[in-house]
Amino acid sequence: MRIDAHQHFWLYDSQRDAWITEEMSTIRRNFLPNDISHILKNNHFDGAVAVQADQSHQETRFLVELAQVYKMIKGVVGWVDLRSPQVEQYLADFAQHDIIKGFRHIVEGEQDADFLTTDAFQNGISQLTKYGFTYDLLIHPRHYASTLACVRANPAQKFILDHMAKPAIRTKEFDDWALFIEELSACSNVYCKVSGLATEAEWSNWRVEQFEPYIHHVIRCFGKNRICFGSDWPVSLLAASYEQSVQIVAENLQDFTAEELDMFWGINASKFYNLK
């Protein structure tokens, strides 16, 4: 099964979705599975993982409802208030929906560098482990240290790094990011999505070769059995078509065997998220 491990869907709301700024007008509209289903089929994908874009329990229920209608959604990564004293009850309720595979918090928007290691958040992570849910890491460089501390403190929890931690391709920064990737990949409970790359370069002036050192470093560090593809559609449309997002990655997998390609394009994501 060929899987896009990272897509978003929303009914655009100017207040709720204020993060979509004027320069991002391309995505200031509704995006639903019907808008991508034929593109997935044309690119030989069997389905996708729908990932939260809003931090509310309503968002999680919205994605579950979409999955009940659109079979192309193979799994949901929702949002839950991991810092709430009621987090266990929330997770017990969400566990009734098999389509929910895990959760994510937009940590990159948190100014607290130690957000991931606060007592309340750590309690939430322990509850995810108890219920068998995964956790998507969306972080900013200021969270490197706490991310490493978090995953090391929770070796039984399954983590996956979104967008390769968003390397600063636009400004060609590499060393600090590369060291972080090396240290994080040493934790066997962490996978990595090769996703969302074009938007980290100059949106209208990127070249495929710019992504090579970043993608190859992730492959070297995580190996070929803990990485998977994600488009980050429709956010990716700010800088690239769906086909270009695929091309950016595909051109850096030239030494993969047929079996390794199958793992990258679907098997690894299916294993991580327990997709069916």
Side-chain angles (χ1 to χ4, degrees):
M1 186 163 62
R2 192 167 154 106
I3 294 294
D4 182 334
H6 203 100
Q7 290 188 358
H8 303 291
F9 302 106
W10 60 69
L11 295 173
Y12 177 68
D13 180 284
S14 60
Q15 291 187 324
R16 182 198 63 194
D17 302 322
W19 62 273
I20 303 179
T21 60
E22 288 288 345
E23 66 174 349
M24 302 165 73
S25 58
T26 301
I27 60 172
R28 277 189 160 185
R29 63 178 180 86
N30 299 344
F31 285 95
L32 293 170
N34 278 344
D35 298 308
I36 188 68
S37 58
H38 66 288
I39 297 175
L40 284 179
K41 184 176 181 180
N42 290 344
N43 286 274
H44 312 293
F45 285 93
D46 300 295
V49 175
V51 180
Q52 62 85 220
D54 179 52
Q55 303 202 133
S56 69
H57 291 172
Q58 181 180 352
E59 168 82 343
T60 306
R61 290 189 287 269
F62 168 68
L63 295 178
V64 169
E65 290 169 2
L66 286 182
Q68 291 170 344
V69 176
Y70 299 98
K71 299 307 177 186
M72 57 159 282
I73 299 178
K74 304 300 183 182
V76 165
V77 175
W79 184 86
V80 66
D81 188 355
L82 287 171
R83 294 171 293 173
S84 170
Q86 286 79 47
V87 62
E88 183 171 8
Q89 182 57 57
Y90 294 148
L91 292 177
D93 291 342
F94 284 135
Q96 298 176 52
H97 302 282
D98 290 341
I99 196 68
I100 301 178
K101 306 303 180 180
F103 294 90
R104 182 178 83 155
H105 186 89
I106 303 176
V107 176
E108 68 172 353
E110 301 289 347
Q111 293 303 309
D112 182 2
D114 297 321
F115 181 88
L116 286 162
T117 52
T118 60
D119 290 344
F121 197 85
Q122 283 294 296
N123 176 64
I125 293 293
S126 70
Q127 294 301 322
L128 290 183
T129 308
K130 176 180 176 179
Y131 282 90
F133 286 119
T134 64
Y135 183 76
D136 272 53
L137 291 160
L138 179 62
I139 61 169
H140 185 273
R142 63 177 167 271
H143 303 112
Y144 283 173
S146 61
T147 297
L148 292 170
C150 178
V151 300
R152 289 167 179 166
N154 296 277
Q157 174 61 40
K158 293 171 66 176
F159 294 93
I160 191 163
L161 181 65
D162 288 352
H163 315 324
M164 293 168 36
K166 293 189 172 184
I169 298 168
R170 187 180 292 106
T171 54
K172 300 180 181 180
E173 295 174 40
F174 186 81
D175 292 349
D176 289 347
W177 168 84
L179 178 59
F180 168 70
I181 290 295
E182 184 177 345
E183 293 181 335
L184 184 66
S185 66
C187 301
S188 60
N189 55 324
V190 185
Y191 279 55
C192 182
K193 292 182 188 180
V194 182
S195 59
L197 294 177
T199 47
E200 300 308 313
E202 291 288 346
W203 290 357
S204 59
N205 190 34
W206 53 263
R207 302 181 313 280
V208 171
E209 56 265 28
Q210 289 178 272
F211 307 102
E212 180 179 345
Y214 300 94
I215 294 175
H216 286 196
H217 185 67
V218 161
I219 295 171
R220 282 194 298 271
C221 290
F222 280 93
K224 296 175 180 178
N225 62 343
R226 286 192 289 144
I227 54 175
C228 60
F229 172 75
S231 66
D232 196 28
W233 181 94
V235 179
S236 57
L237 297 178
L238 294 169
S241 67
Y242 192 89
E243 289 74 16
Q244 287 174 319
S245 292
V246 172
Q247 178 193 20
I248 285 170
V249 178
E251 292 198 11
N252 285 282
L253 308 179
Q254 299 300 321
D255 67 335
F256 279 45
T257 66
E259 181 181 2
E260 290 167 345
L261 287 172
D262 287 343
M263 292 167 61
F264 177 79
W265 293 110
I267 293 173
N268 292 344
S270 295
K271 179 181 177 181
F272 180 80
Y273 285 119
N274 190 29
L275 305 181
K276 300 174 182 177

